Amino acid sequence: MQTDLADFIKDTDDGREADAILRTCVHCGFCNATCPTYQLLGDELDGPRGRIYLIKQVLEGQPVSRRTQVHLDRCLTCRSCETTCPSGVKYHRLLDIGRAVVDQRVPRSPADKATRFVLGEGIPRQEMLQSAVAIGQWLRPFLPAALAAKLPAAIPAADRTRPGKPLTVHARRMIAISSCGQQALTPNTNAALSRILDRLGIEVLTPATGCCGALRYHLGAQEQALDDMRRTIDAWWPYIDDASAGVEAIVMTASGCGLQVREYGELLKHDPAYAAKAARVSALARDVSEVLAGEQKELLALLPQAGARQPVAFHSPCTLQHGQQIRGLIEALLVAAGYELSPVADAHLCCGSAGTYSFTQPKLSKQLRDKKLATLEATSPALIVTANIGCQTHLQSGTATPVRHWIELIDERLAE
Ligand code: SF4
Ligand code: SF4
């Protein structure tokens, strides 16, 4: 694609990166076929190719309108288009750059600003979110149905007594993120991680961090998100920098956070104080499925002999299958652990959670959730499992079938 970027951006880091990305797009439109918003809305400007054109126009200095912002806002950043694209277009980076320019030029309504402020300030603060969830659970009968459905079930007392702290001191160590929305909403996920890795002779360290930055980044608050990333690196660095700490990996149980940490190196590459540290942190990041696949022989030796298990439907989050390009590991581990996997059609499509999308684009988000649940429940599985907190709570809000993190199933098998 030919480009002619405007003076305001062409000689900047973002301008050079956007120009290179735009030039890789050959305008073939293959990406539209796997884009959830294009499938729902049927508008070229709600598909990746159209959005790429909109961003090109913005960066070439053409007028920007609220309509441009709406089409970019409707993008889930699911990256399904990147998996499909034969030219390797790094769409998500172009979108980041395009959204930042559009948001500087098109003011948001007070209501939109307030929603984004509350989400950006509330969800990353674990204690605040924990308190809000506890109050919400208490008031559930009086809340609007849509809000009540977003609340997780009350956390069983047995799980509260197992807060994901190291169980035994081991020579092998991995870091896990300590404070995030997941810990407030489903604390049993990281508790299960600690128990599983403990059985494998690996200690989980949880230095106090805060949000990894994913949430604010996806809300468009990119500078605040970069500060979240720097703070997280500062919390982890003493353990990474000290060879005697023996940290092998940063193990992530939420694939959305895992993708963000994997991209610290890319996002902080122009920050002289953090570029090298960020690259090292990204190189150490692993999804829990990669860690357990690496330990599969030892893990299987600990599991009881497989009996007949409940049928389970697995939803692969976009941040796992498209963002991190991890496919098939979890399915293989669940089958090896004795679970029967239900077939799921259109597994490449987003469930509509997409960070804060369910709050900022509730109508589209609900349509995508209901389509996803129809495919997940087509064979009436006993359970749905996934690998990201956002997908877990979003899917659970639309079904009575329990939706859980897949490592909880492995943890339960180990406890049998
Ligand atoms: S992003 Fe890729 S698939 Fe989509 S139009 Fe461009 S080259 Fe084709
Ligand atoms: S990231 Fe997802 S929603 Fe956005 S253009 Fe690509 S496929 Fe469509």
Side-chain angles (χ1 to χ4, degrees):
M1 188 183 282
Q2 293 294 309
T3 57
D4 181 19
L5 296 205
D7 290 345
F8 79 90
I9 195 152
K10 73 177 177 193
D11 293 324
T12 65
D13 290 330
D14 280 352
R16 282 185 283 272
E17 187 174 1
D19 195 48
I21 297 168
L22 284 168
R23 285 171 181 274
T24 57
C25 176
V26 296
H27 194 46
C28 62
F30 288 169
C31 49
N32 280 356
T34 58
C35 171
T37 55
Y38 182 76
Q39 286 190 5
L40 276 186
L41 300 166
D43 183 336
E44 173 73 15
L45 297 180
D46 285 312
R49 182 173 60 179
R51 291 184 178 120
I52 288 170
Y53 259 88
L54 285 175
I55 295 166
K56 177 177 184 285
Q57 287 175 347
V58 169
L59 302 183
E60 289 183 338
Q62 294 185 38
V64 188
S65 69
R66 171 71 187 137
R67 193 162 162 258
T68 311
Q69 192 177 48
V70 165
H71 289 300
L72 299 191
D73 281 353
R74 284 184 190 151
C75 175
L76 296 141
T77 53
C78 68
R79 305 198 195 177
S80 175
C81 49
E82 292 190 9
T83 296
T84 309
C85 175
S87 301
V89 173
K90 282 173 72 180
Y91 167 83
H92 72 281
R93 277 299 297 148
L94 186 66
L95 185 74
D96 287 344
I97 295 165
R99 275 180 168 167
V101 174
V102 171
D103 283 352
Q104 280 165 11
R105 296 179 179 196
V106 182
R108 292 189 177 277
S109 69
D112 195 2
K113 275 190 200 160
T115 302
R116 287 165 184 268
F117 177 80
V118 170
L119 293 170
E121 294 302 315
I123 296 178
R125 294 179 204 277
Q126 187 185 329
E127 276 123 35
M128 194 190 289
L129 185 60
Q130 252 161 347
S131 304
V133 168
I135 294 168
Q137 284 164 340
W138 191 57
L139 292 175
R140 190 191 294 270
F142 309 105
L143 294 176
L147 184 57
K150 289 266 174 218
L151 289 167
I155 302 153
D159 293 337
R160 289 202 201 103
T161 63
R162 299 182 291 185
K165 292 282 184 327
L167 303 177
T168 317
V169 174
H170 295 291
R172 295 185 66 193
R173 289 171 161 187
M174 295 184 185
I175 293 175
I177 198 154
S178 62
S179 331
C180 81
Q182 176 177 262
Q183 195 61 18
L185 294 167
T186 56
N188 193 48
T189 301
N190 274 350
L193 172 75
S194 287
R195 290 189 290 266
I196 296 168
L197 293 191
D198 182 57
R199 294 287 304 274
L200 292 167
I202 300 168
E203 184 180 335
V204 177
L205 306 176
T206 53
T209 49
C211 177
C212 66
L215 198 109
R216 288 195 178 101
Y217 200 81
H218 290 287
L219 278 169
Q222 295 181 6
E223 285 308 316
Q224 291 102 311
L226 290 172
D227 284 341
D228 288 340
M229 296 175 211
R230 293 183 188 102
R231 195 193 51 247
T232 305
I233 292 170
D234 286 343
W236 286 342
W237 193 250
Y239 299 87
I240 294 168
D241 197 33
D242 177 3
S244 67
V247 168
E248 296 175 25
I250 298 166
V251 56
M252 306 297 294
T253 47
S255 61
C257 309
L259 175 58
Q260 193 73 34
V261 173
R262 281 203 134 111
E263 295 189 337
Y264 277 13
E266 174 71 21
L267 295 170
L268 287 165
K269 70 183 175 195
H270 300 303
D271 180 334
Y274 279 87
K277 290 180 182 178
R280 174 100 178 100
V281 164
S282 290
L284 283 169
R286 300 276 181 283
D287 185 74
V288 61
S289 60
E290 296 175 289
V291 171
L292 296 189
E295 310 285 328
Q296 187 163 347
K297 197 164 149 229
E298 294 76 9
L299 181 65
L300 293 184
L302 292 169
L303 290 172
Q305 288 302 305
R309 315 298 310 172
Q310 298 163 311
V312 169
F314 173 60
H315 166 59
S316 181
C318 299
T319 42
L320 189 78
Q321 60 169 321
H322 302 304
Q324 300 187 58
Q325 295 285 313
I326 296 173
R327 299 190 195 97
L329 289 185
I330 294 171
E331 294 92 322
L333 283 162
L334 287 171
V335 169
Y339 286 92
E340 178 193 325
L341 278 189
S342 302
V344 179
D346 293 331
H348 62 284
L349 288 179
C350 180
C351 68
S353 170
T356 52
Y357 196 86
S358 62
F359 296 95
T360 57
Q361 301 286 337
K363 193 171 156 206
L364 287 174
S365 172
K366 185 171 178 299
Q367 284 177 287
L368 290 167
R369 182 198 70 187
D370 293 347
K371 275 179 73 173
K372 178 58 69 179
L373 282 170
T375 59
L376 286 165
E377 298 186 308
T379 56
S380 305
L383 282 175
I384 295 170
V385 290
T386 188
N388 190 49
I389 179 63
C391 310
Q392 186 178 344
T393 53
H394 183 58
L395 290 171
Q396 189 67 85
S397 72
T399 180
T401 306
V403 185
R404 307 184 65 193
H405 196 290
W406 70 277
I407 63 168
E408 292 181 279
L409 270 55
I410 303 290
D411 179 44
E412 285 170 7
R413 289 287 280 144
L414 285 172
E416 284 173 15

